[in-house]
Amino acid sequence: MKQTLLATAVFAVMISGCSTTTQTTSDLCKPLTYQCHSGLKKYYAGSKVGKKAAKALTLVSNGQTEQAIEYLESTHSTSAYDQAVIARLLASVHFQQDNYRQALEAIRIVITSPEINANELKSALLLELELLYRLQEFNEIPLKAKAYLAYTEQSQDTKLYTLLSLVNGSDELELNLLEVFGEGHALSKDKQYEDFLKTSSKESTLASVNDKHSPKLKRRVDPSYPIRAIEKKIAYAKVNYIFDLDETGRPRNIKVLDASPDSTFNKAGMKALKQWRYYVSLDKNNQVIDGKGLTVTLEWMLQ
């Protein structure tokens, strides 16, 4: 479920459509519902952004996810729909990388876009709920769930009910599911989706059940050997770095403590460190436990 095909499918949906309308969905649909929304003319991505999105997907398929993120973040457009396309792709890539906080920020850009199609909004609203679950921000979920149901006007939604059932089983929030869905609604779980949520949340870089654990390295990327260092015939170098971790296990605020023999290798080490990932635990204030002032030494040696 969480794989490169997700981003491809998203892009295929978002570039489909016919002509545009000068009025926003909120102007034409009051209240905004899926039935009304789906009857409107659809937006589609411009050719320039379409080409850039295709290149980003190629990077993802080649395993170059960090490059894809940087490329998408550097892509700009005056079209609100193009911006939503870029944000949705960013959300997909971040989701595949377990960067749930960044994925949530991106998907909320999609949700608030004035130029968004019905199927895309429905998908984005559900993904927002799933990301809130993975981030364990349970208090936001009930209102978001009601808004999703109001938009879709569904008598049942097995995925939403499954997600809310898991939230209801936590120590953080007690939900009256009948209050959310309403009396008389047929409620049933999606077992496959439930297993997916449980497995993914255990593998997440987010809060661990045992918050006594200090951060542990999940993924290491070795730094490149700068061409300038080869030209200067530097056979060995060592750089000490200090950095913090955010709640997704990404190094932030990277600084050089000292370098030997000079600063030639500093940027290469920083570029590599930005791609490292850690398993982290969060405290009650959603702060990373032991996530400040981590140090690491990187070494380079010509064979």
Side-chain angles (χ1 to χ4, degrees):
M1 188 175 293
K2 185 174 66 175
Q3 52 191 354
T4 302
L5 289 176
L6 171 65
T8 307
V10 167
F11 179 58
V13 171
M14 295 195 80
I15 62 172
S16 66
C18 43
S19 59
T20 63
T21 165
T22 57
Q23 291 179 283
T24 65
T25 54
S26 58
D27 293 330
L28 297 170
C29 295
K30 295 183 178 179
L32 180 62
T33 62
Y34 178 82
Q35 183 175 2
C36 176
H37 194 176
S38 60
L40 303 179
K41 292 181 179 179
K42 294 180 175 62
Y43 290 89
Y44 60 98
S47 59
K48 183 177 180 180
V49 167
K51 290 178 181 178
K52 287 181 175 293
K55 180 177 178 179
L57 291 174
T58 300
L59 290 171
V60 171
S61 65
N62 292 333
Q64 299 173 287
T65 51
E66 292 295 330
Q67 292 89 331
I69 290 171
E70 291 178 5
Y71 184 73
L72 288 169
E73 289 178 341
S74 67
T75 301
H76 303 287
S77 173
T78 57
S79 163
Y81 186 74
D82 284 354
Q83 293 170 14
V85 170
I86 295 165
R88 186 62 180 87
L89 285 169
L90 273 170
S92 296
V93 179
H94 280 306
F95 185 80
Q96 292 175 52
Q97 291 295 98
D98 295 337
N99 301 333
Y100 299 138
R101 178 67 59 188
Q102 289 87 340
L104 181 62
E105 292 172 359
I107 206 64
R108 282 177 168 170
I109 293 174
V110 179
I111 290 171
T112 57
S113 173
E115 299 179 0
I116 187 71
N117 300 320
N119 285 331
E120 297 157 6
L121 180 55
K122 179 181 177 182
S123 173
L125 289 170
L126 186 60
L127 180 55
E128 180 187 32
L129 282 160
E130 183 178 319
L131 288 166
L132 288 171
Y133 168 75
R134 294 177 187 281
L135 288 165
Q136 298 187 3
E137 296 184 1
F138 299 133
N139 290 327
E140 287 192 57
I141 289 178
L143 285 177
K144 296 287 184 181
K146 289 181 180 180
Y148 172 80
L149 287 171
Y151 173 72
T152 58
E153 296 182 297
Q154 296 180 120
S155 61
Q156 64 174 337
D157 188 296
T158 56
K159 286 189 175 180
L160 180 61
Y161 179 66
T162 302
L163 188 150
L164 291 180
S165 297
L166 291 176
V167 172
N168 199 39
S170 73
D171 295 331
E172 303 292 330
L173 189 66
E174 189 68 29
L175 282 175
N176 184 338
L177 296 181
L178 286 178
E179 181 182 329
V180 176
F181 285 90
E183 295 285 348
H185 284 202
L187 304 175
S188 59
K189 287 186 179 182
D190 182 328
K191 179 60 178 173
Q192 184 177 1
Y193 186 59
E194 181 179 33
D195 292 340
F196 168 67
L197 287 174
K198 287 180 177 179
T199 302
S200 297
S201 62
K202 289 177 183 177
E203 294 175 350
S204 169
T205 59
L206 301 176
S208 166
V209 175
N210 185 354
D211 59 8
K212 293 180 180 179
H213 288 206
S214 295
K216 289 182 173 59
L217 187 61
K218 176 183 180 183
R219 185 181 75 188
R220 175 192 172 96
V221 175
D222 291 328
S224 61
Y225 210 100
I227 295 177
R228 193 157 66 97
I230 298 174
E231 293 172 345
K232 294 169 68 174
K233 299 181 179 179
I234 302 176
Y236 175 79
K238 180 173 70 173
V239 182
N240 293 315
Y241 296 91
I242 185 169
F243 57 93
D244 303 328
L245 294 175
D246 69 12
E247 67 273 15
T248 67
R250 296 164 66 100
R252 298 296 191 200
N253 307 319
I254 304 171
K255 296 178 182 178
V256 175
L257 291 174
D258 55 76
S260 175
D262 56 28
S263 62
T264 302
F265 294 80
N266 291 5
K267 289 185 179 179
M270 282 188 174
K271 184 176 180 180
L273 278 174
K274 288 178 181 178
Q275 300 178 66
W276 287 27
R277 295 294 179 269
Y278 285 79
Y279 292 104
V280 298
S281 298
L282 306 183
D283 61 21
K284 293 181 179 179
N285 297 317
N286 210 37
Q287 298 298 309
V288 179
I289 296 172
D290 297 332
K292 299 287 187 182
L294 280 74
T295 59
V296 68
T297 299
L298 295 182
E299 296 180 287
W300 291 257
M301 181 181 296
L302 281 178
Q303 300 296 324

